[in-house]
Amino acid sequence: MASFACSASDLAPHLGGAANATAAADIICGSLSAISTKLSDATYAIDTTYLLFSAYLVFAMQLGFAMLCAGSVRAKNTMNIMLTNVLDAAAGGLSYYLFGFAFAFGPGSSSNGFIGHHSFALSSFPSPSADYSFFLYQWAFAIAAAGITSGSIAERTQFVAYLIYSSFLTGFVYPIVSHWFWSGDGWASPSRTSGDLLFSSGAIDFAGSGVVHMVGGIAGLWGALIEGPRIGRFDGTGRSIALRGHNASLVVLGSFLLWFGWYGFNPGSFLTILKSYGSGGTYYGQWSAVGRTAVTTTLAGCTAALTTLFGKRLLAGHWNVTDVCNGLLGGFAAITSGCSVVEPWAAIVCGFVAAWVLIGCNKVAEIIKYDDPLEAAQLHGGCGAWGLLFTGLFAKERFVNEVYSGRPGRPYGLFMGGGGRLLAAQIIQILVIFGWVTATMGPLFYGLHKLKLLRISSDDEMAGMDLTRHGGFAYVYHDSEDHSGVAGFMMKRIEPMNSTPTPDHNPTPSSYV
């Protein structure tokens, strides 16, 4: 908020020639200064409350991840995948506090375009440039990236490997990428405060299609590739065998929770809400841009869900709720980059293409025998990359200049008449994220593999990690497609009571679920 200045010496001549004009001017200026201070405090309080509420929504996405992961794996690994989700938040909290935030947003003369060097363990907090609410919000983003990776390597990964990769990803790999594209010092940031912008634009990744989703998806890609597919995922001839998740209800619940949390993920990335565009005093300001961002997010997800529904119906011949949920999330992951700078109609285009990107990536994964229980690499990596390209094509000039103010004449979307410079910056972002995550997470997973710390034994995998690593099953259930030989539990269908016995009332194998 702009500071208010009132000078009694300047005001006194306007009060006439009264003897007490100077005293009156002092009183008036003092009152106006007090009001200005209160308004400034109120602005900070409103913006901080908005950011904290957004942080809570993003953190609630962890519950969505947990439910989605639990429903997408077999029942014998439910406790394991739930524990890894808790671990992502807990280990990520400490590593991001100690190192991650400083690498990502640490200001100071020692910071540069590659990495931050200040505010380790939140030293010098709070400051005019960052408060505790900002740390909390960014931490919620960091653990979201780690949660994406855990889905790719589910059902076959040692617990110690989760501890190592989660801490490394949230404490070093992810923060470096967020520094590049979100920090005021980052070499490719559109908000860079000094020096030239990349292609006079910077790479626009408003809420993290690349920074969050591609980082998590590509890390999961390398983890799953190095581990190899789950036992039974492909037969001896290389034919794909579906290892279906055990609970579609949890998948739907998790998807809705993620949908809800995305309203903190995307609109919350404005960080403030009480900001006017132009002279102020009108209905239009950053609060309106926040609403528009929520609308574009909604439309992209809805379009992707419906496109996946009918697309998979044409390709597979049935309506699959799990595929629809993944399509929905793919649309959200794609729109996350340009949600604040595109028109609502463009979000529909984004969601439509995202659905086909996900379907195509899944087909490629099947051909190369890549196994990802949650389709995390395809969904977050593939759709995230499409989202960055989409922004370079459809970003609107007016919205770009409002959201990234201070440097008029920025490049905008190619299809909107803005030339190809923004698109070039987006392509650079895709390439450097892929290269950075490959260069860091690939060797980490390979080293864990060589040290025999990555994958569990075949016996443990067949029996299920809940039984062999966590002391028992999550709940009484039986995987109908599991042929591991481990004693399970079968639930009988309850037949209606009938006082007149019938000859064929005896239970048959089809009477069990």
Side-chain angles (χ1 to χ4, degrees):
M1 182 176 178
S3 60
F4 173 81
C6 179
S7 170
S9 60
D10 292 336
L11 182 60
H14 298 284
L15 298 178
N20 59 352
T22 301
D26 285 334
I27 294 174
I28 293 172
C29 283
S31 299
L32 291 176
S33 296
I35 294 172
S36 176
T37 300
K38 288 293 184 181
L39 290 175
S40 180
D41 291 346
T43 299
Y44 283 121
I46 292 170
D47 287 338
T48 298
T49 301
Y50 174 72
L51 186 58
L52 282 172
F53 181 72
S54 298
Y56 303 152
L57 286 177
V58 177
F59 179 69
M61 295 176 79
Q62 290 300 119
L63 178 57
F65 278 127
M67 295 298 100
L68 180 68
C69 290
S72 299
V73 301
R74 290 164 291 179
K76 62 184 181 180
N77 294 311
T78 305
M79 286 179 65
N80 174 263
I81 197 67
M82 296 286 276
L83 184 57
T84 62
N85 276 270
V86 176
L87 175 66
D88 287 335
L94 288 177
S95 60
Y96 198 71
Y97 163 75
L98 292 172
F99 311 108
F101 184 83
F103 291 149
F105 298 101
S109 58
S110 58
S111 296
N112 54 61
F114 179 79
I115 190 172
H117 285 204
H118 216 60
S119 295
F120 289 98
L122 298 188
S123 59
S124 305
F125 251 59
S127 69
S129 60
D131 203 345
Y132 293 106
S133 56
F134 182 66
F135 164 80
L136 191 72
Y137 187 69
Q138 296 301 333
W139 160 72
F141 270 63
I143 61 175
I148 292 168
T149 305
S150 67
S152 295
I153 57 178
E155 297 201 285
R156 59 204 190 274
T157 305
Q158 291 192 47
F159 193 66
V160 66
Y162 281 111
L163 277 170
I164 295 171
Y165 100 78
S166 181
S167 299
F168 184 62
L169 183 66
T170 55
F172 183 69
V173 178
Y174 166 83
I176 299 300
V177 178
S178 57
H179 181 82
W180 292 348
F181 300 104
W182 285 348
S183 170
D185 300 319
W187 63 269
S189 173
S191 304
R192 190 170 186 177
T193 55
S194 63
D196 296 331
L197 299 178
L198 179 65
F199 294 112
S200 302
S201 167
I204 294 180
D205 189 8
F206 183 72
S209 288
V211 173
V212 178
H213 295 283
M214 276 194 67
V215 168
I218 295 170
L221 170 69
W222 286 110
L225 282 174
I226 292 170
E227 274 193 312
R230 291 167 291 173
I231 296 173
R233 180 65 177 86
F234 299 96
D235 64 14
T237 65
R239 185 171 61 92
S240 174
I241 306 296
L243 300 179
R244 296 184 179 89
H246 79 283
N247 195 320
S249 299
L250 289 179
V251 172
V252 173
L253 175 61
S255 298
F256 272 114
L257 286 169
L258 288 169
W259 187 342
F260 180 65
W262 235 290
Y263 292 126
F265 205 93
N266 287 3
S269 290
F270 280 96
L271 306 181
T272 63
I273 191 171
L274 196 57
K275 176 184 176 183
S276 61
Y277 292 153
S279 58
T282 66
Y283 67 91
Y284 185 74
Q286 191 141 291
W287 47 87
S288 184
V290 167
R292 183 183 67 244
T293 300
V295 170
T296 56
T297 300
T298 302
L299 292 177
C302 292
T303 303
L306 292 174
T307 304
T308 305
L309 174 70
F310 292 105
K312 293 293 286 187
R313 168 66 175 172
L314 292 173
L315 296 172
H318 56 265
W319 315 97
N320 190 309
V321 66
T322 302
D323 289 337
V324 171
C325 288
N326 284 339
L328 172 81
L329 300 178
F332 288 149
I335 195 61
T336 295
S337 169
C339 54
S340 65
V341 295
V342 299
E343 291 275 14
W345 63 263
I348 295 175
V349 177
C350 178
F352 178 80
V353 177
W356 290 109
V357 168
L358 178 59
I359 292 172
C361 287
N362 283 332
K363 182 59 66 176
V364 172
E366 186 175 318
I367 293 172
I368 65 174
K369 298 180 180 59
Y370 170 78
D371 181 24
D372 187 326
L374 274 88
E375 302 176 6
Q378 303 95 298
L379 192 160
H380 298 277
C383 293
W386 155 242
L388 292 174
L389 296 175
F390 162 78
T391 304
L393 298 173
F394 289 95
K396 185 175 179 178
E397 180 181 16
R398 174 188 168 192
F399 297 158
V400 169
N401 286 316
E402 287 173 349
V403 175
Y404 299 98
S405 58
R407 297 206 188 191
R410 287 174 177 269
Y412 50 100
L414 176 64
F415 291 168
M416 308 301 286
R421 287 182 294 174
L422 176 58
L423 179 60
Q426 304 300 98
I427 294 173
I428 292 296
Q429 179 175 359
I430 293 172
L431 294 176
V432 297
I433 288 178
F434 184 86
W436 171 251
V437 178
T438 297
T440 51
M441 296 302 294
L444 175 68
F445 282 122
Y446 185 74
L448 292 172
H449 170 69
K450 285 298 184 180
L451 294 171
K452 301 187 184 303
L453 296 175
L454 186 59
R455 184 158 185 161
I456 60 175
S457 67
S458 298
D459 291 340
D460 285 356
E461 186 174 345
M462 293 296 290
M465 284 186 283
D466 286 3
L467 182 64
T468 60
R469 301 297 177 100
H470 303 292
F473 294 109
Y475 38 66
V476 177
Y477 198 87
H478 176 77
D479 281 315
S480 60
E481 297 178 358
D482 181 20
H483 306 293
S484 62
V486 178
F489 304 89
M490 300 190 73
M491 296 180 288
K492 292 184 179 181
R493 179 182 297 134
I494 300 176
E495 301 285 355
M497 298 297 294
N498 193 331
S499 57
T500 305
T502 57
D504 58 350
H505 191 66
N506 294 325
T508 64
S510 62
S511 301
Y512 297 91
V513 294

